[in-house]
Amino acid sequence: EQAAHDGLKWKYHDPDSLQDASWKLSMLSQLDDAVDRGEVWAAYQPKVDLKTRKIVGAEALARWTHPEKGPIAAAEFIAAAEQNDRIGKLTAFMLDGAISAAATLNKGDHHFDMSVNLSGRLLSDKALVGRIAILLERHGLDPRHLTLELTETAALAGSGEALEMLTQLRELGLNISIDDYGTGLSTLEYLKKIPASEIKIDQSFIKGMVDNRSEKLMVSSTIALAHSLGRQVVAEGVETREALELLAELECDIAQGYITGRPMSLESLRRRLASERRSKVA
Ligand code: C2E
Ligand code: MG
Ligand code: MG
Ligand code: MG
C-alpha cells in the first residue's frame, strides 16, 4: 500500500515490494493454467433464513491452492485478475461448478439457492448471457435458483451497456444481488436503477452494529429501504450469535458468516444439508 503512495524511488529500493510486483505478474500468468490443473476450487458458505433458521443456499467463493505458495487469498488473485482482464476463465469455471452443485442440491421439495460472484467488468462481454443460459440448461438448474453477486455497481449504474446486460440476465430468470452494499458510492440512484432483487449489506456494518448505535441505525434503515423497494436483504460477515439475533430483530431476511458456517468443500456442504434435511425439528 505504502509503496504506491511513496513513489518509485521507495519502491525500487524495497526488495519486498519488487518481489511482490513480480509475484503478482507471475500469479496472473499462472491463473488460467491453475484452473486447468485443478489448483483452483470452489468453497461454499451456507446462507441461513433468519425466520426458519434453515440453510436456504450458499455463496460460491474461489480458492486457489498453489503447489508452492499454498493457499492464496481470494482478495489477492481476484483483484489482480479483474484489473488485468483475466477473470473470464475463473468465472466460467466457478459458474460451471456452482450451477452443477446447485442442480444436485435442489431435490424435490428441498430448494437451494446458489450465489456466484460476477465481476462488473464481465458485463461488457456480449457472450455472457448465452454462456450462462447454456450452463443452466446443461446442468438442469431452474434459473430462479441462481443469483449473481455484483460489486463495482456504482460504476455500472452509469453504463447503459451494463444495465442492458443485467436486464437480459433478469429476463433469463436468474437473480442479481448488489454485493458489499454500503461501501463505495451506494447512491439511492443506483439502488433504484440496477435490476437487483437482493442487496448484501457489507460485513463492515454488520461487525460494527452490535456495539455502535449509529451503525445499527444504518443497518436497520438500509433493511427498511431495501424492503420498501421490494429487495431481499442478506447480511454478510455475521460472526456472532448476538449479531444473528439482532439481524432477526431488524427483520433482515438472510444471514451469512462464520456463525452460519465457514466456506467449505462441496462435500461438507452436502453433509451439512443432508443432516439438516433429515432432522424434523423446525
Ligand atoms: P465477498 O463476495 O463479499 O465474499 C465474502 C467474503 O467474506 C469471503 O471472503 C468470505 O470468506 C468472507 N467471510 C464470510 N463470512 C465471514 C465472517 O463471518 N467474517 C469474516 N471476517 N469474513 C467472512 P473471500 O472468500 O476471501 O473472498 C473475498 C472476495 O473475493 C469476495 O468478497 C468476492 O468479492 C471475491 N471473490 C471470491 N470468489 C470470487 C469469484 O469466483 N469471482 C469473483 N469475481 N470474485 C470472487
Ligand atoms: Mg459475494
Ligand atoms: Mg460481499
Ligand atoms: Mg466483501
Side-chain angles (χ1 to χ4, degrees), residues 64-265:
W64 182 1
T65 313
H66 192 279
E68 284 133 36
K69 298 262 174 184
I72 306 171
E76 195 178 338
F77 66 89
I78 281 164
E82 280 180 344
Q83 283 155 24
N84 293 277
D85 281 320
R86 300 291 289 263
I87 196 78
K89 184 158 187 174
L90 172 87
T91 305
F93 169 79
M94 292 296 290
L95 280 167
D96 186 52
I99 291 172
S100 144
T104 66
L105 296 170
N106 270 287
K107 274 200 197 105
D109 292 339
H110 293 298
H111 294 304
F112 191 91
D113 298 325
M114 185 63 84
S115 298
V116 180
N117 291 287
L118 186 76
S119 166
R121 285 167 195 254
L122 289 178
L123 292 178
S124 59
D125 176 359
K126 296 265 183 292
L128 182 73
V129 179
R131 280 203 299 266
I132 292 176
I134 287 170
L135 287 174
L136 290 164
E137 177 77 31
R138 180 182 301 155
H139 296 297
L141 180 68
D142 186 330
R144 68 164 182 259
H145 296 302
L146 178 67
T147 298
L148 299 176
E149 295 189 1
L150 278 161
T151 46
E152 299 177 57
T153 38
L156 294 178
S159 146
E161 194 187 34
L163 284 180
E164 168 60 28
M165 178 75 86
L166 288 177
T167 305
Q168 285 179 28
L169 289 165
R170 281 303 294 271
E171 281 165 359
L172 208 59
L174 51 78
N175 310 292
I176 304 295
S177 176
I178 302 178
D179 205 346
D180 302 339
Y181 185 80
T183 63
L185 286 168
S186 8
T187 64
L188 281 172
E189 173 75 4
Y190 96 76
L191 185 58
K192 232 177 51 193
K193 237 175 170 177
I194 291 182
S197 51
E198 177 185 285
I199 69 153
K200 283 187 91 169
I201 303 179
D202 191 69
Q203 42 183 288
S204 55
F205 299 100
I206 306 305
K207 295 218 173 70
M209 92 189 154
V210 176
D211 305 310
N212 185 309
R213 267 200 63 216
S214 68
E215 301 245 335
K216 180 180 162 186
L217 206 62
M218 300 243 312
V219 171
S220 66
S221 55
T222 300
I223 293 169
L225 172 68
H227 282 167
S228 74
L229 291 168
R231 316 293 207 253
Q232 163 169 282
V233 184
V234 180
E236 68 175 19
V238 186
E239 292 183 348
T240 62
R241 177 66 50 191
E242 200 182 358
L244 192 81
E245 295 310 332
L246 181 53
L247 286 162
E249 221 174 275
L250 298 176
E251 293 181 355
C252 180
D253 304 295
I254 291 167
Q256 180 187 341
Y258 294 162
I259 189 102
T260 70
R262 296 257 173 179
M264 58 184 80
S265 69

